[in-house]
Amino acid sequence: MAKPATRFICAECGAAHSKWSGRCDGCGAWNSISEEVPLSAGPSKKSLGGIRGKKVPLGDLASEDAPPPRRTSQLEELDRVLGGGLVDASAVLVGGDPGIGKSTLLLQAAASFARAGAKAVYISGEEATSQVRMRARRLGLADAAVKLGAETNLRDILTTLEAEAPDLAILDSIQTLWSDTVDSAPGSVAQVRACAHELVTFAKRSGTSVILVGHVTKEGQIAGPRVVEHMVDTVLYFEGERGHQFRILRSVKNRFGPADEIGVFEMTGAGLAEVANPSALFLSGRDAPAPGSVVFAGIEGTRPVLCELQALVAPSALANARRTVVGWDSGRLSMILAVLEARCGIPFTGLDVYLNVAGGLRIGEPAADLAVATALLSAREDIALPAEMVVFGEISLSGALRPVGQTENRLKEAAKLGFTKALAPAGSKTGTTSGLETRQMPDLATVVGDMFGAG
């Protein structure tokens, strides 16, 4: 039997190479390629023939057996992101920057599920059990019936989980685990893929819900091969700025619920506290109306969230003016500036432009286009918008304003927080929101003329 050929795998993108090189041709990363020892060619033909003879029972879609109920914790924000609770036999991958609070969140989640009646096991590959207990005491979780373990050998972990048969198993983190069937270092592409495959298989076979913690690269993506994200049922990202106390738990993949759902937490001395009304919290630091400040009514998953966009436009002393963005897409900002100059006659040449989403929130929907444009115009013309106004709408390259989805939910959230005016694209389905005056604009040029008298 011929020996399988050795491959070299990039740890950043998972691209395969026939020989080692210092730079990956797929993603351009340096010193990310390592040797992967291939798996064996498998059993002999005789044993394979016996396996082919087995009959696999198939279920019926019309069966009257009810699906297993979701396990809910006492953390409503976590249950919201999971789609209503934790599904049995599911595999969840949680990623985030170092020190953002992943271990704290999952220790609190394990305690919450244990108090709700689930049998929870927390296995750490990065800390000793005494260190986990010390953090649990600080968080006030010392009385929770959570079993702790400190191990990195996958064989020992699976043997323990088979004996314990827990309802929930948390492994922190997948990059520290190693399998003795793979001849490579922990954290390598081969080890991460093999360990993730074994743990997902265990979850499906035993009915245990498995939560894996994944490290992230400097670009913010979960480290290791991308196939790990395809293996699991749910992928969550824990986001936040170190300078802010807010933390966002975002669902980017969920087979059992809506994706792009978010849960908002606040980092306190006693751990992560839930934020039931994130809009009020994101707007709590607003001062008096100032040029460049605009309130955007956005949608995160199924939840309306209001946040403040801050813009600053100042003369530049450089040949190439700065374009600095925090919490939004920089390419989208360049497009808005080009539309303002081409369609409205408002140039930003020779001006530094800074855009910030207050509170550490990251916005990805195009409905923020109009709010960004009004914030830039407000900063450039030094005209403050009314403090009681919210803005949302998508801008096309022709300068026209396009309606966005869930307009009524945005307006209801704004009215609930005391806003009395709204600026939206023409044709938006505003519904019957009481106490809210909605001004509908057909294009960006009309907004410029009516709101600022420029252009």
Side-chain angles (χ1 to χ4, degrees), residues 62-80:
S63 174
E64 296 181 358
D65 295 338
R70 295 177 183 266
R71 297 184 182 274
T72 58
S73 66
Q74 300 174 359
L75 300 174
E76 295 183 1
E77 294 296 303
L78 177 61
D79 292 337
R80 173 194 294 272

Side-chain angles (χ1 to χ4, degrees), residues 402-413:
R402 304 179 61 183
V404 296
Q406 303 191 44
T407 299
E408 295 185 33
N409 292 338
R410 302 172 196 263
L411 296 177
K412 287 179 181 178
E413 180 72 11

Side-chain angles (χ1 to χ4, degrees), residues 44-97:
S44 62
K45 293 183 179 179
K46 183 176 180 181
S47 61
L48 283 176
I51 293 176
R52 289 196 186 104
K54 293 181 62 178
K55 294 183 179 179
V56 180
L58 297 177
D60 189 357
L61 286 176
S63 174
E64 296 181 358
D65 295 338
R70 295 177 183 266
R71 297 184 182 274
T72 58
S73 66
Q74 300 174 359
L75 300 174
E76 295 183 1
E77 294 296 303
L78 177 61
D79 292 337
R80 173 194 294 272
V81 176
L82 291 173
L86 196 61
V87 178
D88 290 342
S90 63
V92 181
L93 180 62
V94 181
D97 293 334

Side-chain angles (χ1 to χ4, degrees), residues 176-191:
T176 61
L177 305 185
W178 61 278
S179 173
D180 51 15
T181 61
V182 179
D183 189 13
S184 58
S188 63
V189 172
Q191 286 284 5

Side-chain angles (χ1 to χ4, degrees), residues 85-434:
L86 196 61
V87 178
D88 290 342
S90 63
V92 181
L93 180 62
V94 181
D97 293 334
I100 203 68
K102 300 185 298 298
S103 300
T104 300
L105 172 66
L106 293 180
L107 186 59
Q108 291 183 233
S112 297
F113 280 109
R115 289 168 177 167
K119 186 177 181 181
V121 173
Y122 185 97
I123 298 178
S124 175
E126 302 175 346
E127 298 176 282
T129 53
S130 58
Q131 295 174 315
V132 179
R133 287 195 187 97
M134 181 175 61
R135 188 168 71 249
R137 293 191 192 98
R138 177 175 60 85
L139 300 175
L141 307 175
D143 59 336
V146 178
K147 295 191 175 182
L148 301 178
E151 183 57 63
T152 58
N153 189 328
L154 181 64
R155 187 185 298 274
D156 295 341
I157 291 174
L158 290 177
T159 303
T160 303
L161 293 180
E162 291 279 3
E164 292 289 338
D167 300 314
L168 170 64
I170 298 175
L171 292 100
D172 185 9
S173 62
I174 186 64
Q175 275 81 12
T176 61
L177 305 185
W178 61 278
S179 173
D180 51 15
T181 61
V182 179
D183 189 13
S184 58
S188 63
V189 172
Q191 286 284 5
V192 170
R193 184 168 53 203
C195 293
H197 173 72
E198 291 293 338
L199 291 169
V200 171
T201 302
F202 166 77
K204 305 303 180 185
R205 183 182 70 251
S206 64
T208 300
S209 300
V210 176
I211 299 180
L212 308 175
V213 178
H215 296 168
V216 297
T217 62
K218 60 183 179 181
E219 289 82 14
Q221 302 296 322
I222 294 180
R226 200 63 184 265
V227 70
V228 175
E229 298 188 32
H230 293 280
M231 290 181 186
V232 299
D233 302 306
T234 304
V235 179
L236 308 179
Y237 277 86
F238 204 38
E239 306 171 351
E241 299 290 339
R242 292 185 179 274
H244 295 280
Q245 71 272 27
F246 308 131
R247 300 291 186 268
I248 309 295
L249 183 64
R250 187 184 303 275
S251 170
V252 298
K253 173 190 175 182
N254 194 351
R255 289 174 178 162
F256 312 116
D260 293 329
E261 191 71 70
I262 69 166
V264 184
F265 298 86
E266 183 179 6
M267 181 63 77
T268 65
L272 291 164
E274 296 182 273
V275 177
N277 190 351
S279 298
L281 192 61
F282 285 133
L283 298 177
S284 60
R286 290 190 72 210
D287 299 326
S293 175
V294 174
V295 177
F296 166 60
I299 295 288
E300 294 290 344
T302 59
R303 158 190 285 179
V305 176
L306 271 63
C307 61
E308 181 185 6
L309 299 181
Q310 301 170 344
L312 176 63
V313 178
S316 177
L318 304 175
N320 295 322
R322 293 187 180 93
R323 301 289 186 262
T324 305
V325 186
V326 177
W328 205 51
D329 184 18
S330 59
R332 200 83 184 174
L333 174 63
S334 301
M335 187 198 76
I336 299 299
L337 294 175
V339 171
L340 284 171
E341 182 168 359
R343 306 302 180 188
C344 304
I346 300 179
F348 284 83
T349 305
L351 298 174
D352 289 334
V353 176
Y354 302 90
L355 182 67
N356 176 49
V357 181
L361 184 67
R362 296 184 182 275
I363 300 175
E365 60 173 337
D369 290 350
L370 184 56
V372 170
T374 52
L376 295 173
L377 291 169
S378 174
R380 185 184 186 278
E381 303 298 327
D382 198 24
I383 298 176
L385 268 70
E388 65 277 5
M389 174 180 285
V390 296
V391 183
F392 58 89
E394 181 181 354
I395 298 176
S396 64
L397 293 180
S398 64
L401 300 183
R402 304 179 61 183
V404 296
Q406 303 191 44
T407 299
E408 295 185 33
N409 292 338
R410 302 172 196 263
L411 296 177
K412 287 179 181 178
E413 180 72 11
K416 184 173 67 175
L417 293 177
F419 289 88
T420 58
K421 298 179 181 179
L423 186 65
S428 300
K429 299 179 180 179
T430 57
T432 57
T433 306
S434 59

